Amino acid sequence: MALVACPKCQKRISSLAKQCPHCKVDLSGNTESITIISHIECSNSLMNQSFLFLTLFIAGVVVWFWGGEPAQGLKSYFAIAMFVIGFVGYLVTRIRIVLHKRKSV
């Protein structure tokens, strides 16, 4: 008996287990297809997060310049917060996508 990675959740489980105790996936059939599906789901999730942060970044820029002049007061803080969170989140997500592709199936 050895510890192996679950094809779905990547947590360590026994090689003799019929079902993952963490995610309850059935391990008696073809586990290669489970691994591929899990990888695709993770890729889709990362792309959705990337799109969300890019949208937040663009919304921050639009709020900042809405009306032709730079925002002032509370509106400027809100725009800067959206801009920074969107920009940093997008960069972090893109790095996660690159790392995810490096360990592709």
Side-chain angles (χ1 to χ4, degrees):
M1 178 177 89
L3 291 177
V4 296
C6 171
K8 177 86 173 157
C9 65
Q10 299 300 317
K11 292 186 179 177
R12 296 179 69 165
I13 59 172
S14 169
S15 61
L16 302 176
K18 303 283 187 222
Q19 182 180 27
C20 176
H22 306 287
C23 64
K24 307 295 185 214
V25 69
D26 184 26
L27 301 173
S28 61
N30 184 5
T31 58
E32 185 176 327
S33 63
I34 295 171
T35 304
I36 292 170
I37 291 170
S38 176
H39 184 77
I40 292 170
E41 287 174 348
C42 185
S43 295
N44 288 341
S45 174
L46 287 171
M47 290 304 291
N48 288 340
Q49 291 172 17
S50 176
F51 179 72
L52 175 72
F53 283 122
L54 183 61
T55 304
L56 190 62
F57 172 78
I58 292 170
V61 172
V62 167
V63 168
W64 180 266
F65 289 110
W66 191 260
E69 296 181 13
Q72 296 176 354
L74 186 60
K75 187 177 177 182
S76 68
Y77 294 127
F78 184 66
I80 291 172
M82 287 187 347
F83 179 80
V84 169
I85 292 170
F87 183 73
V88 171
Y90 181 76
L91 288 179
V92 169
T93 306
R94 294 309 294 183
I95 291 169
R96 289 179 60 205
I97 288 171
V98 168
L99 294 176
H100 180 69
K101 284 184 178 182
R102 281 190 178 176
K103 69 171 190 174
S104 66
V105 181

